[in-house]
Amino acid sequence: MGLDFKKGLSNTHIVVLVVVVLGFALATTLGAQYLIELDRTQAGNKAPSAKDSYEISKLDAEIRQIRSDTAGSLFALKVIALFVTVGGAVGGYLIGQSNTTRARISFEDRKNVDEVFQSIIQELADESPILRAAAAVKLGSVLKSFPAEWNVSDARREQLMQLTKQVLAASLSIETDKKVLKTLTINLVLYKARPDDALANLQSIDLSAAKAYDAYWARCDFSYADFYAANLARASFRKSRLLRAQFREATASNVIFNEADCTDANFKMADLRGASFVDAILDGTNFEGARVHSVSLAGAKVDKLPTCMVDVSAQGDGSQVVSIEQWLSATTCSHVHS
């Protein structure tokens, strides 16, 4: 059981040290008492004079009084009091020092982690596309498997995970290089709340104005996500969960929504021309003002769609607007209850 004072004492170390101190105090007390008794015995072996006998009688009386104070239950109580006093003082000091040391180490660990994280963020803002792409990969690795050497609390770990997703999402609206954009879309969706989860967790992520065309975001949970005015052309959301996701004014032409759960999703004024909703769940989905020319709804489960008008013109210029009921009747669906 080695002691590493730089990392603070564990509870086991503290208990052992207190026991050692108390044992030393007890041994000192009993040893002192033994030496006193030994001196008295040696003194009693000499032949006393009459005067000495009188003095010895007085000493015997005093010694009997002292013995009453240093023997039996009274002595035991004094020893217990000594243990409590010494043990409390030593234990309290060691625990205080250990907690202080741990708090200092925790602060230093957090500071080091924050410095590393900030350095990656700075690389993501570098002028070199290669460094920006490398930074995106580093952040993706954090999402996929949080570094074991980052010694932080669970709460701080979750904060860093959420911050990493937000940084990658924000970068999609700022970045211009196509290769870096593709790298960002790949690494954004590597986080799973639990390793055995089927879907990557991106709930409530803000992807407004993101340039995520050609993104492969299959099997992701984008519930409550915001895709306002995002460019999602030719992206894939196959088998993803899009519960109440906001696609208002998004460019989503030729997007794959096959087998996706679009319950209560909002596609108001979105460009959905050529999009595919094959076998998707469209329960309460809003298509108000959406451009829906050549949209495929084969096998889609449509239910309770809000009453609205949609643009079915090939150019998406509003030259041919029909009710959603007319559009659905002209499109192949299953279980339509609009």
Side-chain angles (χ1 to χ4, degrees):
M1 180 176 61
L3 297 179
D4 189 349
F5 292 99
K6 292 182 178 179
K7 295 184 178 180
L9 297 175
S10 66
N11 291 336
T12 302
H13 293 151
I14 292 173
V15 170
V16 171
L17 288 176
V18 171
V19 170
V20 170
V21 171
L22 293 179
F24 177 77
L26 179 61
T28 302
T29 302
L30 295 177
Q33 185 177 14
Y34 171 77
L35 292 176
I36 292 172
E37 292 291 333
L38 181 62
D39 289 342
R40 180 180 176 276
T41 302
Q42 291 175 348
N45 291 333
K46 299 178 182 179
S49 62
K51 183 179 179 180
D52 289 339
S53 296
Y54 174 74
E55 295 294 334
I56 290 172
S57 297
K58 289 175 63 178
L59 290 173
D60 282 339
E62 293 177 0
I63 289 172
R64 282 194 295 272
Q65 180 62 37
I66 294 172
R67 278 183 171 179
S68 68
D69 292 339
T70 58
S73 60
L74 183 58
F75 178 71
L77 289 174
K78 290 181 178 180
V79 171
I80 292 173
L82 174 66
F83 277 21
V84 171
T85 303
V86 176
V90 174
Y93 173 77
L94 292 176
I95 290 174
Q97 287 294 101
S98 181
N99 289 340
T100 300
T101 301
R102 289 172 184 170
R104 175 179 55 79
I105 292 174
S106 177
F107 172 78
E108 291 176 352
D109 286 342
R110 174 169 177 169
K111 182 179 178 181
N112 291 338
V113 170
D114 288 347
E115 288 176 352
V116 173
F117 190 80
Q118 288 295 331
S119 68
I120 299 176
I121 301 301
Q122 290 174 0
E123 290 177 7
L124 194 60
D126 196 90
E127 294 182 359
S128 170
I130 296 298
L131 288 180
R132 296 200 301 273
V137 173
K138 290 179 183 178
L139 291 175
S141 66
V142 172
L143 291 177
K144 187 174 183 180
S145 179
F146 194 80
E149 62 272 16
W150 287 14
N151 185 23
V152 295
S153 65
D154 291 341
R156 181 57 179 164
R157 177 183 181 276
E158 186 62 26
Q159 288 176 353
L160 287 172
M161 287 295 200
Q162 294 300 325
L163 182 58
T164 300
K165 288 191 290 184
Q166 291 168 4
V167 168
L168 289 171
S171 297
L172 282 171
S173 64
I174 301 171
E175 183 60 57
T176 57
D177 186 276
K178 292 184 178 180
K179 294 294 184 181
V180 178
L181 284 170
K182 186 63 176 179
T183 305
L184 288 168
T185 62
I186 293 171
N187 287 277
L188 175 63
V189 295
L190 295 180
Y191 174 68
K192 292 184 177 180
R194 291 178 296 274
D196 57 345
D197 283 351
L199 304 180
N201 188 343
L202 290 113
Q203 295 182 12
S204 303
I205 193 75
D206 182 3
L207 285 162
S208 55
K211 294 186 282 291
Y213 44 81
D214 298 318
Y216 184 74
W217 286 343
R219 298 181 183 274
C220 296
D221 186 355
F222 283 105
S223 297
Y224 305 97
D226 186 3
F227 295 93
Y228 173 74
N231 187 346
L232 307 170
R234 301 178 302 280
S236 174
F237 290 91
R238 184 186 298 272
K239 296 185 178 180
S240 289
R241 183 179 296 136
L242 304 172
L243 176 65
R244 297 197 175 186
Q246 299 296 315
F247 291 89
R248 183 186 174 100
E249 300 183 36
T251 300
S253 55
N254 299 302
V255 171
I256 303 299
F257 293 103
N258 296 353
E259 300 180 70
D261 184 354
C262 301
T263 301
D264 292 325
N266 182 19
F267 291 96
K268 184 176 182 178
M269 301 177 69
D271 184 357
L272 296 170
R273 288 176 294 172
S276 176
F277 288 90
V278 173
D279 295 325
I281 298 175
L282 302 176
D283 186 357
T285 308
N286 182 20
F287 289 98
E288 181 183 353
R291 285 164 277 182
V292 295
H293 179 75
S294 298
V295 168
S296 175
L297 297 176
K301 299 171 181 61
V302 182
D303 192 14
K304 302 176 183 177
L305 300 189
T307 300
C308 62
M309 305 297 287
V310 295
D311 181 2
V312 296
S313 63
Q315 294 76 23
D317 56 5
S319 59
Q320 189 176 359
V321 177
V322 300
S323 68
I324 192 168
E325 290 81 8
Q326 290 176 297
W327 173 54
L328 291 176
S329 64
T331 309
T332 304
C333 308
S334 67
H335 309 292
V336 177
H337 302 285
S338 55

